[in-house]
Amino acid sequence: MNKSPLLALATSFLLCIAALAADANTYQVTGPILELTDTKIVVQKGKDKWEVARNADTKVTGELKVGAKVTIQYGMVAQTVEVKEDKPAKGAAKATPAK
């Protein structure tokens, strides 16, 4: 039995699943670079300035320089989460224990 078609189908399936998973929390912004440092890239999108953090793990294709038009793929990840206790509404009577 020739396993090549089955292997190609399985590989395609896995690549599609990976692409869908990556898109769930991935966004992009495109525009010219206004400012560039080792820790951030500032891009003009319409009238807005978008500041995106970068680090040593950021993959760059081509030469980054002010004025270059770029498309940046980025994601948002929670760094901390603090749960707040619900406060009773003003004027609400305090619950009394049943006797």
Side-chain angles (χ1 to χ4, degrees), residues 3-15:
K3 294 181 182 179
S4 294
L6 183 58
L7 182 60
L9 181 61
T11 302
S12 297
F13 178 74
L14 290 174
L15 288 174

Side-chain angles (χ1 to χ4, degrees), residues 31-90:
I33 296 175
L34 298 178
E35 184 182 342
L36 181 63
T37 71
D38 290 339
T39 58
K40 70 179 177 181
I41 302 172
V42 180
V43 175
Q44 183 81 38
K45 181 177 180 180
K47 295 179 181 181
D48 299 324
K49 293 180 183 178
W50 288 59
E51 183 174 319
V52 181
R54 73 179 188 135
N55 59 29
D57 295 331
T58 303
K59 296 177 182 132
V60 177
T61 304
E63 182 184 352
L64 284 179
K65 60 183 177 183
V66 173
K69 184 176 180 181
V70 295
T71 297
I72 300 173
Q73 301 285 332
Y74 66 95
M76 291 190 277
V77 178
Q79 293 180 345
T80 64
V81 177
E82 181 179 343
V83 177
K84 303 289 187 175
E85 294 294 324
D86 288 338
K87 294 181 180 179
K90 288 184 178 180

